[in-house]
Amino acid sequence: MKRWVKMIRFIGGLCLVTLLGIAYISYLCHNSLCLAPERFSLSTRYSASASSSSSRSEVPSSPTSTTKLVVGLASTVNIESVAFKEAYEMGFDITDRDVIVFLHIQKTGGTTFGRHLVRDLNLENPCNCPRKRKRCDCFRPNTINEQWLFSRYSTGWKCGLHADWTELTDCVEGALDEYEGLAKKRRYFFITVLRDPIHRYLSEFRHVQRGATWKSARHWCGGQEFTSLPHCYKGSNWTGVELDEFMNCSYNLAHNRQTRMLADLTLAGCYTGYNTTADQLERDRILLQSAKQNLASMAYFGLTEQQAVSQYIFERTFHLDFENNFDQANATLSAQAIAELTPAQIERVRQLNSLDEELLEFARQLLQERFQLLKRRDPHFRQNWLRMVHPLKSERIDGNSLV
């Protein structure tokens, strides 16, 4: 009898230790990614052997969209994200629980756009931007610390320097809970700005050439921070780098940056085995389709090359007007850089950003769909449009004459 009691106690103790071990590992290894092998492995449902006919179906990016996206790229995001259709039908409620989240991709004109958000929106209670301070206080009316805007110039880089879609969706609610001292559910309106990939890439190259590094970026994915990503340079920065050297670094995060920053990186193993040759085509396919899907689900995005259209879509989507119009720059440093390149170098830049090229083509089509939809629903379209493209002229024209 004593032997059976001892055996039962031994088995019970063993089960208890096992359960405690599982709980401990689960706590330390969120989403099991710290147990991932050195080389990322892709889910079998994204196997390259799967036929394209079975992996694709119609997913409307807007009420009139015919763009095909991959289904099954299931995100694990647990926050309430508002899509474009819901945004323009219901608007943005600055007094309730709505938050605009700006996903700022490097060298897309996001700094200028970010300043428009905090300085130029025509609000009853505009953001307070004290002199000699980089950030503004964008609090909801009748509150002292509730933010309606999550961006560089309002909250700062609370989810990391130039946080991407994967970082922001995992971090934003906790960051606001901590900032406001209150845990609550909010509605998030994600927005971003895209740019022609060649111009953006060369602009980033020039920026890095002058000493920029973005070393403090977190690269947070799947519950852990990837701190061991290799650098393309030795020393503190890459000042003076030549374009060919910049392009030849295979793990340069400038390559296809817009696609990577808009995709759900957990679908492709985060940064584990980043840019290795094994499974690279399949990884690229997953990232591109995820980036398209996330872009289509955003409440708003603009294009650097289409400032007036971008401004119009923002104003009609959020039912908020800007006091100052977006400027369309006709000449940039990147344009000057392109003029100095050989045809072979231009082609190489294009190859390195082929995913971004396809993403931009998708974005252009989607932007036009949204523009045409909002235009049809706007009884004062011509007056609103003239205000953006010819502001002085629109002030002199009576709205009744614009028929």
Side-chain angles (χ1 to χ4, degrees), residues 18 57 82 87 294:
T18 302
S57 69
V82 178
N294 290 336

Side-chain angles (χ1 to χ4, degrees), residues 62-73:
S62 76
T64 60
S65 174
T66 58
T67 306
K68 290 185 177 181
L69 296 177
V70 167
V71 297
L73 297 185

Side-chain angles (χ1 to χ4, degrees), residues 307-357:
Q307 292 291 325
V309 171
S310 298
Q311 179 180 348
Y312 177 81
I313 292 176
F314 184 96
E315 292 189 356
R316 300 284 68 78
T317 302
F318 289 93
H319 308 293
L320 297 171
D321 295 336
F322 289 99
E323 295 180 351
N324 295 305
N325 288 339
F326 295 2
D327 292 327
Q328 185 69 63
N330 295 321
T332 63
L333 291 175
S334 62
Q336 179 184 348
I338 290 176
E340 299 171 356
L341 301 186
T342 66
Q345 287 177 316
I346 294 177
E347 180 58 27
R348 176 66 173 149
V349 172
R350 194 180 303 278
Q351 291 173 357
L352 291 171
N353 294 277
S354 60
L355 301 183
D356 279 5
E357 289 272 5

